Amino acid sequence: MSDTRAVQAEKPNQNSSMPVTKSAILGAMFLMATSAIGPGFITQTSKFTYDLGAAFACAILISILVDIAIQLNVWRVLGVSGMRANELGNAVLPGLGWFMGVVVFVGGLVFNIGNIGGAALGMNSMLGLDPRLGGFISAVIAVLVFVSKRAGLALDRIVVGLGAIMILMMLFVAIKSAPPVGDALRSTVAPDKFDPVVVTTIIGGSVGGYITFAGAHRLIDSKMTGPENAKEIGKVSVLGIVVTGVMRALLFLAVLGVVASGVALNQDNIAADAFRHAAGEIGVRVFGLILWAAGLTSVIGASYTSITFVTSQNVKPRTRNWMTVIFIAVCAAAFLIMNKAPQTLLIFAGAFNGLILPIGFGVVLWAATMRSDLLHGYKFPKVLLAIGFITWIVTVWLGWQSFSGITELWN
């Protein structure tokens, strides 16, 4: 092993002994969950539940299983190495990490316009505000998180608080809509119909692009790193996955209850109409609150993670926070100028983000298998590796689908 590799392997772990606060751990868990449950995911889940009914439970289960396989490997490798995904990529192959960073940054920039739009629509449903004003207010709130003197603590508290609100509100509507839980449970393993395109879409929307790495990067910033923290890192990642799974399941059940009753929902806004039928006017307000919370936490998560992908840990936190503020401001300005997220750009961004997962996950598995120096000699569990490699094949297929989408759109 060269001296350069030794330095790369040791440097990120210098602060691993620093105390990690409970707030930072919860923040990492909920950053993962709320990044996965954005405005787009809410819209997709509502649409697919309307189309497939209880059978959509199988797609939800598959997406959760894929999420588990990916996150258990990603969190442990990045956490033990003490390196962010872009830093690990550069250590494995010089320049690869920066390529990953540029793709995530561009995808995050465009997607954030949509996230601000989702928050704006949420405020419109919740309070009746003009979407442009709602988008502006939401962007200002996101900016305030990062200009705070204790930005890390502010980030942790707002994603945990809004994540808890989303869970409680989804639970309220799920109870009100009285879904056929028995049919949903049966359909998780024996669906009446199965659509692979739906599975591909839901997986890409919940673990694509920056989403996979958001929580792990936050954990690294909190200094929970190194082989001595491997078990704790694994526990935190599992808890984060549980939170994500609960949020997905509750949203599915909330809409399923209305769909199963035979109500014809408005195709232009299935989710909002489902919540209206489940809980009346209160349901519309609750939907607005959930959509706003999903949009705002996604703005925060996408902005934070996108900036971590184009900076190193040597950059001062204050400098990185101001870069994040500028990132949010540019996205907000684009939203206000265009008044909506351009569909073509969003398709491109989604496709590009689909390419990141097989590359980033491949780097993680390569480091776990071939670069024990980067993991400080830590012996990676073989079971996790086996599950990871099987799942990586799935991500390659998803990436190919994304590449095909880019090609078709370009032509």
Side-chain angles (χ1 to χ4, degrees):
M1 180 177 68
S2 67
D3 293 339
T4 301
R5 286 188 176 185
V7 170
Q8 288 175 324
E10 292 170 7
K11 189 173 182 179
N13 197 41
Q14 289 174 346
N15 297 321
S16 63
S17 61
M18 292 179 63
V20 181
T21 65
K22 185 177 181 180
S23 174
I25 293 174
L26 287 172
M29 288 165 45
F30 275 86
L31 189 62
M32 173 211 286
T34 54
S35 293
I37 311 296
F41 185 87
I42 290 175
T43 302
Q44 289 173 353
T45 298
S46 301
K47 176 69 167 75
F48 294 148
T49 303
Y50 183 76
D51 292 341
L52 300 177
F56 184 54
C58 182
I60 291 287
L61 176 62
I62 293 174
S63 72
I64 291 175
L65 292 177
V66 171
D67 197 10
I68 291 172
I70 292 174
Q71 296 289 12
L72 286 179
N73 281 280
V74 168
W75 279 57
R76 189 166 299 217
V77 169
L78 297 187
V80 170
S81 71
M83 294 181 174
R84 298 174 186 159
N86 53 313
E87 294 170 331
L88 190 68
N90 282 331
V92 170
L93 180 64
L96 178 60
W98 292 119
F99 169 76
M100 292 165 58
V102 169
V103 176
V104 169
F105 184 86
V106 172
L109 189 70
V110 178
F111 260 126
N112 240 12
I113 301 172
N115 290 332
I116 292 174
L121 291 176
M123 274 203 157
N124 177 259
S125 295
M126 181 171 53
L127 302 173
L129 290 181
D130 178 90
R132 290 166 64 87
L133 178 59
F136 175 77
I137 293 173
S138 300
V140 169
I141 293 174
V143 164
L144 290 176
V145 170
F146 292 100
V147 298
S148 168
K149 290 183 179 179
R150 303 184 66 183
L153 181 62
L155 184 153
D156 295 334
R157 286 182 174 175
I158 194 168
V159 296
V160 170
L162 291 177
I165 288 173
M166 289 168 66
I167 290 175
L168 290 174
M169 292 299 98
M170 288 176 187
L171 177 61
F172 165 73
V173 178
I175 292 174
K176 293 286 289 184
S177 69
V181 178
D183 288 346
L185 289 174
R186 177 187 58 79
S187 295
T188 56
V189 293
D192 296 329
K193 47 187 172 181
F194 183 79
D195 188 341
V197 175
V198 168
V199 175
T200 301
T201 303
I202 208 72
I203 291 176
S206 58
V207 293
Y210 77 91
I211 298 171
T212 304
F213 307 99
H217 281 201
R218 178 65 192 120
L219 203 65
I220 290 171
D221 280 350
S222 73
K223 307 305 178 186
M224 182 186 280
T225 57
E228 66 275 17
N229 287 314
K231 288 186 178 180
E232 191 64 26
I233 292 168
K235 290 179 182 178
V236 176
S237 66
V238 169
L239 290 173
I241 291 166
V242 169
V243 172
T244 307
V246 167
M247 295 175 76
R248 291 181 192 175
L250 287 177
L251 176 60
F252 161 65
L253 290 173
V255 179
L256 178 62
V258 177
V259 171
S261 69
V263 173
L265 297 176
N266 183 353
Q267 291 290 314
D268 293 332
N269 200 339
I270 292 174
D273 204 26
F275 277 55
R276 182 193 299 277
H277 281 283
E281 190 61 29
I282 293 177
V284 176
R285 306 302 177 190
V286 168
F287 167 74
L289 178 57
I290 292 174
L291 187 61
W292 175 74
L296 180 57
T297 52
S298 293
V299 169
I300 292 171
S303 303
Y304 164 79
T305 313
S306 295
I307 294 301
T308 63
F309 259 92
V310 292
T311 58
S312 72
Q313 293 184 60
N314 295 325
V315 176
K316 294 180 179 180
R318 196 67 179 162
T319 301
R320 193 171 70 239
N321 289 340
W322 279 109
M323 292 174 66
T324 308
V325 167
I326 294 172
F327 184 89
I328 295 171
V330 170
C331 295
F335 168 75
L336 292 173
I337 291 171
M338 295 182 291
N339 200 25
K340 61 179 180 178
Q343 189 64 30
T344 301
L345 285 179
L346 285 175
I347 294 173
F348 267 119
F352 279 130
N353 272 355
L355 297 175
I356 277 295
L357 184 55
I359 297 174
F361 194 34
V363 167
V364 165
L365 293 176
W366 180 267
T369 307
M370 307 298 294
R371 294 294 305 273
S372 61
D373 58 308
L374 297 177
L375 302 185
H376 314 287
Y378 173 73
K379 293 183 178 180
F380 206 82
K382 293 182 180 179
V383 173
L384 281 184
L385 277 178
I387 294 172
F389 276 112
I390 293 171
T391 308
W392 179 75
I393 295 173
V394 176
T395 69
V396 170
W397 181 73
L398 291 173
W400 175 254
Q401 296 299 310
S402 294
F403 179 77
S404 299
I406 292 174
T407 304
E408 289 177 9
L409 192 59
W410 182 263
N411 293 331

